[in-house]
Amino acid sequence: AQSVTQLDSHVSVSEGTPVLLRCNYSSSYSPSLFWYVQHPNKGLQLLLKYTSAATLVKGINGFEAEFKKSETSFHLTKPSAHMSDAAEYFCVVSEDAGGTSYGKLTFGQGTILTVHP
Amino acid sequence: DAGVTQSPTHLIKTRGQQVTLRCSPISGHKSVSWYQQVLGQGPQFIFQYYEKEERGRGNFPDRFSARQFPNYSSELNVNALLLGDSALYLCASSIVRSANYGYTFGSGTRLTVV
């Protein structure tokens, strides 16, 4: 069974400083991993995805994440925070169970990112 | 191109009533999935439909049902509403059945049960 743990429920940074949102996962198979962002009263937007290619994945808006199998981690980073980055971020896992998949994404509990001027 | 569209955007129902939520996927997408997001939590998987058949189901009671139409749009039905069904219901679509490539989500339907 797959699961996701986001290690921080809230992260607060100043504008222009680095962002680090931490995520650990558990999976019985080779997982695909994603980060989604949700702005208030909005749907979910895909930031980036890892699907067994390069371990360092670049996404939209300057975000990137590194897949570390030995640490079962997929942390999200950005060198310099912008006010518009304030939102809730979800780490998500999908399992490819022997070539079959029934389309389930498993979400973490979310990390709320606050950016101060 | 239109994204994933959901209707209505907001809904208020009384306990015991029934509700139908609607979703239109991106043109060409054959997979539609439904997720429930309770306030303060991550979305939880309810159903996946692909090529008009149910392909996956999450841990939800039989009060929840869904279907997919020939044009790949979908409806989610919830019977005998409980206060705990109050949530944001998200629809997601993709071209393929596998979730490994990610989904495109709609903006959701906010259901309030009073």
Side-chain angles (χ1 to χ4, degrees), chain A residues 5-59:
Chain A
T5 302
Q6 292 184 242
L7 300 174
D8 307 291
S9 58
H10 291 83
V11 170
S12 181
V13 301
S14 297
E15 190 174 23
T17 64
V19 175
L20 170 63
L21 305 183
R22 299 181 296 164
C23 171
N24 287 347
Y25 69 92
S26 173
S27 174
S28 302
Y29 301 92
S30 299
S32 292
L33 294 159
F34 311 85
W35 278 96
Y36 280 86
V37 61
Q38 187 174 38
H39 291 275
N41 300 312
K42 299 287 186 182
L44 293 158
Q45 181 184 19
L46 179 65
L47 275 180
L48 51 79
K49 62 184 177 183
Y50 165 78
T51 55
S52 75
T55 57
L56 183 62
V57 182
K58 294 187 183 299

Side-chain angles (χ1 to χ4, degrees), chain B residues 88-103:
Chain B
L88 179 67
Y89 288 85
L90 294 163
C91 174
S93 77
S94 70
I95 293 175
V96 297
R97 178 187 168 194
S98 173
N100 287 353
Y101 301 97
Y103 288 137

Side-chain angles (χ1 to χ4, degrees), chain B residues 39-89:
Chain B
L39 196 63
Q41 297 182 18
Q44 298 288 317
F45 173 70
I46 309 176
F47 286 111
Q48 188 208 30
Y49 276 76
Y50 180 73
E51 288 283 19
K52 302 178 284 294
E53 293 186 10
E54 182 182 308
R55 303 290 185 154
R57 185 184 183 111
N59 188 24
F60 280 81
D62 291 344
R63 298 185 296 108
F64 288 77
S65 64
R67 55 180 175 170
Q68 188 177 32
F69 299 98
N71 66 354
Y72 302 109
S73 66
S74 177
E75 288 183 350
L76 175 69
N77 296 285
V78 187
N79 293 323
L81 285 166
L82 304 174
L83 295 179
D85 295 331
S86 296
L88 179 67
Y89 288 85

